[in-house]
Amino acid sequence: MTTETFRTLKLTRDQEKKLYESWREFEAETPPYARFQLRPENCVITCYESGKTVFQGKDAMVYAAAFENAPVRTAESPSASGDILPQAGSDEVGTGDYFGPVCVCAAIVSEADMDLIRELGVRDSKKLTDQQIREIAPKLMQQLKYSLLIVGNSTYNRVHESSNLNAIKAKLHNQAYVNLMKKAPLPPFKVVDQFTPERSYYSYLKNEKQIVRGIHFETKAEDHYPAVGAASLIARYAFIRSMEQMSEAWDMEFVKGAGAAVDRCGIEFVRKYGYEKLGEVAKLHFKNTEKIKAAL
Ligand code: MG
């Protein structure tokens, strides 16, 4: 079922640059009359001196889609692209909390969802109370296409032995998009709330089976892109629920963040259950672990 497809686009110089930067690791020998050629998986992209860019191969449409209606961002309108719909966005929660999992969500928001988004006042989940999140998130989860990954502490600690935090985040965001793609076609416009430079993001993914490319990276994206705002909210809801379940399971309250109250909570936990159980509820590489050990 090989379908060879073509897509020819006339890109701006900025878009050509972005295209090149996105996939430069797949650069091939430059053919005649071309500025450059890239050969990512299932696609050959040739940018010609004429100004035309040809996407060719099984996934031509997928790669070209990122540039079909991708906005050209200018310094004057840094987030004019916030209203590009449909859009997909992703964010992660829990990476700054000693206790509890890391939750990553990717969600799609289309024009038809915007009434609900406005009605619920979706914005950065960090500015909402837990109670507001408990009310809003289930409504979003009912309406939106989303995918959610929850990485428990035991798994997290095992993975962290061989990967740094940004590598873990990159793999989780990518996996969230891969999973989301199974539920609905991914819109051309995809935003990751940026935590690492674009090039590092893709280099962390170089051994992944499937890589979702053509992503726009922006810091504080949850404030400007409804899909990132929604993803952030769903991820925070999952985090809150996980913390509640942990409290039930271990019969004690776990404190969020990584401050002194967290150390005290950790000491209480270890006195009750032993140090060897700490890795089931906490991210052991945090400095809190040393403080907890020292206090015992
Ligand atoms: Mg974020």
Side-chain angles (χ1 to χ4, degrees), residues 267 275 288-296:
I267 293 163
Y275 177 77
N288 303 77
T289 302
E290 290 311 311
K291 291 183 195 148
I292 292 164
K293 269 186 180 169
L296 293 173

Side-chain angles (χ1 to χ4, degrees), residues 71-73 77-84 225:
V72 183
R73 271 157 42 87
S77 60
S79 284
S81 38
D83 6 289
I84 298 286
Y225 300 92

Side-chain angles (χ1 to χ4, degrees), residues 90-93 95 124 126 169 173 192-195 218 220-222 228 232:
S90 58
D91 199 6
E92 82 284 334
V93 168
T95 51
D124 181 10
K126 290 193 275 296
K169 284 189 198 177
H173 276 262
V192 167
D193 185 33
Q194 184 160 22
F195 54 86
E218 190 170 320
K220 298 199 168 53
E222 67 274 14
V228 180
S232 168

Side-chain angles (χ1 to χ4, degrees), residues 69-282:
N69 56 7
V72 183
R73 271 157 42 87
T74 63
E76 300 81 59
S77 60
S79 284
S81 38
D83 6 289
I84 298 286
L85 295 168
Q87 60 175 254
S90 58
D91 199 6
E92 82 284 334
V93 168
T95 51
D97 297 278
Y98 183 58
F99 291 113
V102 169
C103 304
V104 178
C105 179
I108 297 173
V109 167
S110 53
E111 190 63 58
D113 303 316
M114 283 311 289
D115 282 347
L116 180 73
I117 295 277
R118 287 189 203 101
E119 183 198 322
L120 296 178
V122 171
R123 56 185 192 279
D124 181 10
S125 66
K126 290 193 275 296
K127 297 181 191 112
L128 298 172
T129 64
D130 286 2
Q131 190 47 41
Q132 285 172 311
I133 288 165
R134 278 196 199 92
E135 284 161 23
I136 295 174
K139 292 176 188 161
L140 290 173
M141 292 161 89
Q142 206 170 15
Q143 175 149 338
L144 303 183
K145 290 271 191 290
Y146 70 93
S147 77
L148 178 65
L149 294 167
I150 301 173
V151 183
N153 294 96
S154 302
T155 306
Y156 178 93
N157 290 321
R158 197 170 57 243
V159 175
H160 195 272
E161 283 171 16
S162 57
S163 308
N164 72 40
L165 185 53
N166 280 347
I168 296 173
K169 284 189 198 177
K171 286 173 193 166
L172 291 173
H173 276 262
N174 183 62
Q175 193 58 47
Y177 282 110
V178 168
N179 295 351
L180 182 58
M181 212 157 48
K182 288 172 192 152
K183 298 183 177 181
L186 285 186
F189 191 63
K190 301 173 276 293
V191 194
V192 167
D193 185 33
Q194 184 160 22
F195 54 86
T196 190
E198 181 165 352
R199 282 179 67 184
S200 314
Y201 178 88
Y202 289 114
S203 78
Y204 291 133
L205 300 179
K206 61 181 183 292
N207 296 325
E208 296 298 294
K209 266 191 235 128
Q210 220 178 336
I211 303 172
V212 174
R213 293 181 185 275
I215 288 171
H216 170 70
F217 296 87
E218 190 170 320
T219 54
K220 298 199 168 53
E222 67 274 14
D223 295 338
H224 303 297
Y225 300 92
V228 180
S232 168
L233 229 148
I234 293 170
R236 183 148 294 278
Y237 178 68
F239 182 79
I240 293 169
R241 293 296 305 270
S242 299
M243 289 286 266
E244 284 168 0
Q245 283 159 9
M246 277 168 53
S247 291
E248 287 266 307
W250 298 95
D251 193 27
M252 63 177 277
E253 284 302 315
F254 290 96
V255 180
K256 290 188 200 123
V262 166
D263 297 337
R264 288 193 292 276
C265 184
I267 293 163
E268 185 194 336
F269 179 88
V270 172
R271 285 194 177 135
K272 261 176 137 170
Y273 298 104
Y275 177 77
E276 63 283 1
K277 294 283 182 194
L278 190 59
E280 293 181 32
V281 295

